[in-house]
Amino acid sequence: MKWRAHPADVLPLWVAEMDVPLAQPIADALHKAIADGDTGYPAGTAFAESLIGFASRRWNWDGLDVERVALIPDVMTGAVQVLRLVTDPGDPVIVNSPVYAPFYAFVEHDGRRVVEAPLGQDLRLDPGRLEETFRRARGRGGSGKVAYLISNPHNPTGTVHTVEELTAVAELARRYGVRVVADEIHAPVVLPGARFTPYLSVPGAEDAFSLMSATKAWNLAGIKAALAVAGPAAAGDLRRMPEEVHHGASHLGVIAHTAAFRHGDAWLDALLTGLDANRELLGRLLAEHLPEVGHTRPEGTYLAWLDCRPLGLAPEQGAEETGPAVVTDLAGPAKLFLDRARVALSSGHIFGTGGAGHVRLNLATSQAVLTEAVTRMGRAVGEWGGRP
């Protein structure tokens, strides 16, 4: 989809998919499954066990138990299913805007209400604002149930929440009776200088949930599988998840994701080295070709959040008032860069309040493509006349 959604002359730096070869251990596992004719139903706990081993090796987290891990089709389907366990229709689900656009669509399509607790000006969690949002959400009637869907690491900003920040979240959630659901799909993609903290590993998170997958780190979006992990106090809730949910994952997906977590460390390390180099290259390219554009160096993911408001473009009409649009909807700077530079980026307004005037750029591509894309973007701004 990344390379086919736009005409051939467009460089696609939008959807969160990487331009990388498939990791050989994953390819080998899939080839073996096909050669063996192993295309039936998934069975066993190998996927859960592979995540447990990976979490211990990479994050020094030994708090996982196979009995508290459930197979789900993908992270967002899992988010909906977990939210159904802890909220009722009409209940509030808090998110930190600007945030991954499907948070809005999936939550609202399932009859829950999205309530925003915007990030701070530094693009980090704002404890005061979060506490106020928790307090207000608890006082709005309904069933009295409130959930908080957190992105860790944060998409689209690339912020990696610290252990101190997440511990504060857990304390607030306990105080106000809010159930936390952590989307940790980008967890393995944390760049040098930052450290990933699993939400369930912090004190006070025992009644929370985590959603994990090898999708982003090993580029497996087309081979669906993921895991929902419950804290010790949420295990009973997870057991209430309908049996049919577990059947939605692809068997080949389970095989691929298991191979990634078990045997993909060396490939992942090479990837992170390349992403770190691209992160540095992007900073230099922006300074040279788009010096007016604000850029916070991402700590994790392979996504860069660019503040294009200094370019003086007209704001995305109605974006903040009407809520995020579909992922392919373009406005403001994203439309300028597509029309005039032939570079496809994700439009900031789809990520909610605080996103208008921004774009999300996917830097997980070759350095040649990244260089050409930013060069084109700078040229387009110069020709358009947006520079002071």
Side-chain angles (χ1 to χ4, degrees), residues 170-190:
E171 194 279 325
L172 288 172
R174 283 286 191 178
R175 185 188 309 170
Y176 290 94
V178 174
R179 301 297 295 276
V180 178
V181 181
D183 172 355
E184 297 183 323
I185 196 170
H186 284 279
V189 191
V190 172

Side-chain angles (χ1 to χ4, degrees), residues 5-25:
H6 297 282
D9 65 326
V10 172
L11 295 178
L13 304 183
W14 62 292
V15 72
E17 179 182 326
M18 298 188 288
D19 297 332
V20 290
L22 185 63
Q24 194 60 47

Side-chain angles (χ1 to χ4, degrees), residues 83-94 112-113 134 137-148 176-179 237 240:
L83 288 170
R84 287 179 180 179
L85 300 176
V86 297
T87 63
D88 294 328
D91 285 337
V93 175
I94 294 162
R112 275 67 177 168
R113 294 185 293 111
F134 282 6
R138 290 290 299 173
R140 287 190 174 181
S143 72
K145 299 174 183 177
V146 180
Y148 172 35
Y176 290 94
V178 174
R179 301 297 295 276
D237 291 315
R240 293 189 289 108

Side-chain angles (χ1 to χ4, degrees), residues 158-248:
T159 304
V160 176
H161 308 309
T162 66
V163 63
E164 293 80 11
E165 289 169 330
L166 295 176
T167 300
V169 166
E171 194 279 325
L172 288 172
R174 283 286 191 178
R175 185 188 309 170
Y176 290 94
V178 174
R179 301 297 295 276
V180 178
V181 181
D183 172 355
E184 297 183 323
I185 196 170
H186 284 279
V189 191
V190 172
L191 303 174
R195 181 176 179 82
F196 173 71
T197 300
Y199 181 73
L200 292 181
S201 72
V202 304
E206 292 80 9
D207 67 345
F209 300 85
S210 170
L211 304 164
M212 290 193 173
S213 170
T215 296
K216 296 305 177 188
W218 287 273
N219 215 44
L220 300 175
I223 315 177
K224 286 186 177 292
L227 295 167
V229 184
D237 291 315
L238 190 62
R239 285 193 290 270
R240 293 189 289 108
M241 185 177 287
E243 175 67 23
E244 60 267 22
V245 175
H246 311 312
H247 296 308

